[in-house]
Amino acid sequence: MNVYAYVDGPLGEMLLVGQVAEGGRAVLASLSLPGQKGAVEVQDGWMHDPRAFEEVAAQLGEYFAGRRDRFDIPYAQGGTEFQRRVWRALEEIPYGTTVSYGELARKVGSSGAGVRAVGTAIGRNPLLVVRPCHRVIGADGSLRGYAAGLERKERLLGLEGALAG
């Protein structure tokens, strides 16, 4: 059964969606922000259950307060094998740093024309903030592509101290 909750944060009200696992906690399947391209919408039959997301909400609060630099939460796999490979590479980008789309493509063995495929996989990341796709930038250092808007990408990178002053 799908469950959901809303969590307030500095980027707006975040929608958390998942499935209930053992112990009543949710396995996170999606974290969406208001106005996000391709955001999940609550469906009929889903149960509103903020308690299932207490740990996720606590870790998000710590992250936004500058007291957490990685997330330790269960989440649903989803995606194609290629997307999962790209998403695993995203999770390895250290807090406070950035990599270019080209660097990430090389890391997953998809350089050259594969950079576009990597960008598409990043754009389909269902776990904004938690899986740090905001840490991927253009080769020239410019902010490019973020489903929730470049101003939010800039804000997240600023929070992490990853923007050159």
Side-chain angles (χ1 to χ4, degrees), residues 8 10 15 32 38-40 50 52 55 64 71 86 110 112 116 118 127 130-131 155 165:
D8 286 326
L15 171 61
S32 301
V40 170
E55 180 61 27
F64 287 119
F71 293 91
V86 171
S110 189
R116 181 167 292 214
V118 166
L127 300 175
V130 173
R131 186 181 287 137
R155 190 154 183 196

Side-chain angles (χ1 to χ4, degrees), residues 9-75:
L11 303 178
E13 186 178 60
M14 297 171 280
L15 171 61
L16 309 178
V17 176
Q19 291 84 39
V20 176
E22 227 175 282
R25 297 288 175 228
V27 174
L28 188 65
S30 174
L31 187 158
S32 301
L33 296 166
Q36 172 186 327
K37 178 182 169 189
V40 170
E41 294 183 16
V42 175
Q43 304 293 312
D44 289 339
W46 290 8
M47 188 171 77
H48 185 247
D49 188 359
R51 288 186 49 193
F53 295 99
E54 285 177 342
E55 180 61 27
V56 177
Q59 289 189 32
L60 284 165
E62 292 168 359
Y63 170 80
F64 287 119
R67 295 189 313 269
R68 173 173 288 278
D69 60 11
R70 353 187 12 92
F71 293 91
D72 182 25
I73 56 173
Y75 53 83

Side-chain angles (χ1 to χ4, degrees), residues 105-119:
R106 281 188 293 283
K107 182 171 183 144
V108 300
S110 189
S111 57
V115 172
R116 181 167 292 214
V118 166

